[in-house]
Amino acid sequence: MSLDYILLGLLREPASGYDLKAVFDERIHYFWPAELSQVYPAMQRLEDKGLLRSREAPAKRGPRRRVYQTTAAGHRVLRQWLDESPELGDERIGFLAKVYLMDELRDLSKTRQYFRELREICATRLEELQAIERGWAAQDPHYPDALSARMFHVSLTLRKGLSSLATHVKWCDESLRRIEARMGKERSNGRTIPRHTLDSHRGGHHRTDRVLDSRSRKQGRPAAR
Amino acid sequence: MSLDYILLGLLREPASGYDLKAVFDERIHYFWPAELSQVYPAMQRLEDKGLLRSREAPAKRGPRRRVYQTTAAGHRVLRQWLDESPELGDERIGFLAKVYLMDELRDLSKTRQYFRELREICATRLEELQAIERGWAAQDPHYPDALSARMFHVSLTLRKGLSSLATHVKWCDESLRRIEARMGKERSNGRTIPRHTLDSHRGGHHRTDRVLDSRSRKQGRPAAR
DNA sequence: GACATCTATATAAAGAGTTATATAGTTCTT
DNA sequence: AAGAACTATATAACTCTTTATATAGATGTC
């Protein structure tokens, strides 16, 4: 489970669960969100395994704190994980699932509206990340050169966020262009065409419409992965 | 839960659990993977709620099949979900978590090797999607124009996959350039510098190194989201 | 006929993640 | 002095997902 390794990595410098939550919400959540209710038991488990150690720390401003830190064994486990080959992993992208099925609404103006909102959300997050990068550049006259090893690797992930979100926005724009072009055609074909027959009007050769038809697939690949 | 809505969407055309698994592994898994052990109970639950109906179907080649289909109530629930505003949602991107922490290995050639492998994985998947698009283009002389509403929306999601993976590959290439430039500098600075002091050699002004330091954050935003 | 493979459904158990709730000291404001 | 807001830890209940296991008919092959 990646959360365990992320904790081992973050706790190379000592921190409490509460501290970590702030770090997750500030930086890590872009690629791995976590709740306090997940972090506290995970830290206990990792301490039981000898991968973390903890101590009571004097609190500056609040109640008692329990501060955790990665042990030598924890470092070894972390390094072993980091040394494994990359995997693309399972991504669950809810907004794509919706687009995939959105023909059900039979109303392109709703699809258009969806993409307009999505574009704004992505653009806002892109600005968030750009602000982080500007902050780094303001603090460090050499940025993005001459970084410490730590910051160099972190900056690699920031660049990923920046390029991904820029691509998101571009995809929304491209989609909006396609949607609007299609809406133009729909209008010129006449509004009065009953919607449930629209598809067949537009040439009946769409064998690929049968997205769900399992008989059309080339070969039964094994169900297991 | 999105899986339920995806099932309502896919079962607008009747299919068995086994059929659906093939559809998931062929297309849907790019944005929402699912196992049979999740699909079967989910379909039963949705039938209990009246959103799906099922019947025994004669099997052409195997044992008995139970074929499910979305009811009118199911269509309504699906449409209601589709009509909600988009959300970016929580993405868990394991390969980014690794890069974020990979300074722990203190060996840039390992980081480089990681990116080389990741690049190959992404390029392979990109080719997969390009092959799907070529297949569509071969079947339909007008592609990507004059699509049915169904295929139009599906093609919007395919374009997302294509642009995302192309960006992945470009990010890997950019990262490899940066890593190699850095390795060049490391060599010219002399191999004999003890690794644990390398950071301080390279200008001690990196306040942003303290990624974990919660005291440096601007304001305590509420822990809740 | 034995064995492997494919089609097909189903459930149990374990693991991962979210939401809700409880507790309590500290600090700041009114 | 009261109350709100913040710091801090913890657990329970629930939901979602994965992995493992069981069953069994149909088909193909050696």
Side-chain angles (χ1 to χ4, degrees):
Chain A
M1 199 229 317
S2 292
L3 179 66
D4 286 5
Y5 298 109
I6 293 170
L7 293 177
L8 293 180
L10 296 179
L11 290 169
R12 290 178 291 174
E13 295 169 65
S16 72
Y18 196 79
D19 293 339
L20 283 187
K21 175 59 177 165
V23 175
F24 271 96
D25 287 349
E26 208 181 327
R27 306 210 173 288
I28 312 296
H29 79 106
Y30 291 113
F31 55 84
W32 205 279
E35 296 300 324
L36 271 176
S37 58
Q38 221 186 335
V39 168
Y40 281 117
M43 290 196 301
Q44 286 169 14
R45 205 167 2 92
L46 291 169
E47 188 173 28
D48 292 345
K49 285 191 200 169
L51 306 181
L52 294 179
R53 83 177 77 90
S54 76
R55 59 186 163 82
E56 287 274 335
K60 287 180 204 69
R61 262 216 315 283
R64 83 223 176 277
R65 295 155 44 82
R66 177 157 291 275
V67 170
Y68 288 82
Q69 188 169 7
T70 308
T71 62
H75 274 83
R76 277 196 300 277
V77 168
L78 173 60
R79 264 183 252 117
Q80 204 184 334
W81 176 68
L82 290 170
D83 214 10
E84 286 163 18
S85 285
E87 285 172 61
L88 226 38
D90 292 340
E91 280 183 273
R92 286 192 170 73
I93 309 175
F95 67 81
L96 272 188
K98 252 186 204 177
V99 173
Y100 191 95
L101 302 171
M102 202 167 272
D103 67 288
E104 170 73 15
L105 291 179
R106 298 195 166 274
D107 183 351
L108 273 179
S109 70
K110 295 219 166 170
T111 303
R112 181 179 56 178
Q113 183 55 24
Y114 188 81
F115 272 97
R116 282 174 175 169
E117 289 177 33
L118 187 59
R119 202 215 114 99
E120 282 321 293
I121 293 168
C122 295
T124 301
R125 181 166 281 203
L126 177 58
E127 279 160 30
E128 244 174 81
L129 293 190
Q130 284 167 338
I132 291 174
E133 197 178 40
R134 273 198 307 276
W136 290 359
Q139 273 191 338
D140 177 356
H142 301 100
Y143 180 87
D145 294 316
L147 295 167
S148 68
R150 175 77 53 98
M151 279 306 288
F152 176 71
H153 285 83
V154 171
S155 80
L156 291 174
T157 66
L158 180 65
R159 299 295 309 171
K160 176 63 173 67
L162 287 164
S163 65
S164 278
L165 284 166
T167 302
H168 267 48
V169 172
K170 274 183 221 151
W171 170 66
C172 288
D173 288 338
E174 182 204 303
S175 298
L176 283 166
R177 272 198 306 279
R178 288 183 66 195
I179 292 161
E180 274 153 19
R182 201 178 154 88
M183 286 174 83
K185 267 192 208 162
E186 227 170 54
R187 255 193 306 279
S188 68
N189 280 4
R191 279 187 161 285
T192 52
I193 296 170
R195 271 176 169 139
H196 59 281
T197 64
L198 255 186
D199 286 352
S200 48
H201 273 275
R202 200 162 284 132
H205 53 69
H206 296 293
R207 277 155 298 180
T208 46
D209 274 24
R210 309 182 64 85
V211 178
L212 249 184
D213 189 343
S214 67
R215 282 160 294 181
S216 70
R217 65 185 194 278
K218 297 93 219 164
Q219 46 176 320
R221 67 169 94 158
R225 40 182 67 193
Chain B
M1 200 225 321
S2 292
L3 179 66
D4 286 5
Y5 297 109
I6 293 171
L7 293 175
L8 293 180
L10 296 180
L11 290 169
R12 290 179 290 174
E13 294 169 65
S16 70
Y18 197 78
D19 292 339
L20 283 187
K21 176 58 176 163
V23 176
F24 271 96
D25 286 349
E26 209 181 327
R27 306 209 172 286
I28 313 295
H29 79 105
Y30 292 113
F31 55 84
W32 206 280
E35 297 300 324
L36 272 175
S37 58
Q38 223 186 332
V39 169
Y40 282 117
M43 290 197 302
Q44 286 169 15
R45 206 170 357 95
L46 290 169
E47 187 173 29
D48 292 345
K49 283 191 200 170
L51 306 182
L52 294 178
R53 82 175 78 91
S54 76
R55 57 183 166 83
E56 288 273 337
K60 286 178 203 72
R61 261 215 316 283
R64 82 225 177 276
R65 297 155 42 83
R66 178 156 292 273
V67 169
Y68 287 82
Q69 187 168 6
T70 308
T71 63
H75 274 85
R76 277 196 299 278
V77 169
L78 173 60
R79 263 182 253 117
Q80 204 184 335
W81 175 69
L82 291 169
D83 214 11
E84 286 164 18
S85 286
E87 285 172 61
L88 226 35
D90 291 342
E91 280 183 272
R92 286 189 170 75
I93 308 174
F95 67 81
L96 272 188
K98 253 187 203 176
V99 173
Y100 191 95
L101 302 171
M102 201 166 272
D103 67 287
E104 170 72 15
L105 291 180
R106 299 195 165 275
D107 182 352
L108 273 178
S109 69
K110 293 218 165 171
T111 303
R112 181 181 55 180
Q113 182 55 25
Y114 188 83
F115 271 97
R116 282 175 176 168
E117 289 178 34
L118 187 59
R119 201 213 115 99
E120 281 322 292
I121 293 169
C122 294
T124 301
R125 181 168 281 202
L126 177 57
E127 278 160 30
E128 243 174 83
L129 293 189
Q130 284 167 339
I132 292 174
E133 197 178 41
R134 272 199 307 276
W136 290 358
Q139 273 190 338
D140 176 356
H142 301 98
Y143 181 86
D145 294 317
L147 295 167
S148 68
R150 174 77 52 100
M151 280 304 288
F152 176 71
H153 285 83
V154 172
S155 79
L156 292 174
T157 67
L158 180 65
R159 298 296 307 172
K160 176 63 174 65
L162 288 165
S163 66
S164 278
L165 284 167
T167 302
H168 267 49
V169 172
K170 274 183 221 150
W171 171 67
C172 288
D173 287 339
E174 182 203 303
S175 298
L176 284 166
R177 272 197 306 280
R178 289 184 65 195
I179 291 161
E180 275 154 18
R182 201 180 154 87
M183 286 174 83
K185 268 193 210 163
E186 229 170 52
R187 256 193 305 279
S188 66
N189 279 4
R191 279 186 162 285
T192 53
I193 296 170
R195 269 173 170 143
H196 60 281
T197 64
L198 256 186
D199 286 351
S200 47
H201 273 274
R202 199 163 284 132
H205 54 69
H206 294 293
R207 276 155 299 182
T208 47
D209 274 23
R210 309 183 62 88
V211 178
L212 248 182
D213 188 343
S214 67
R215 280 160 297 182
S216 71
R217 62 185 198 278
K218 299 92 218 165
Q219 45 174 322
R221 67 169 93 158
R225 42 184 65 190

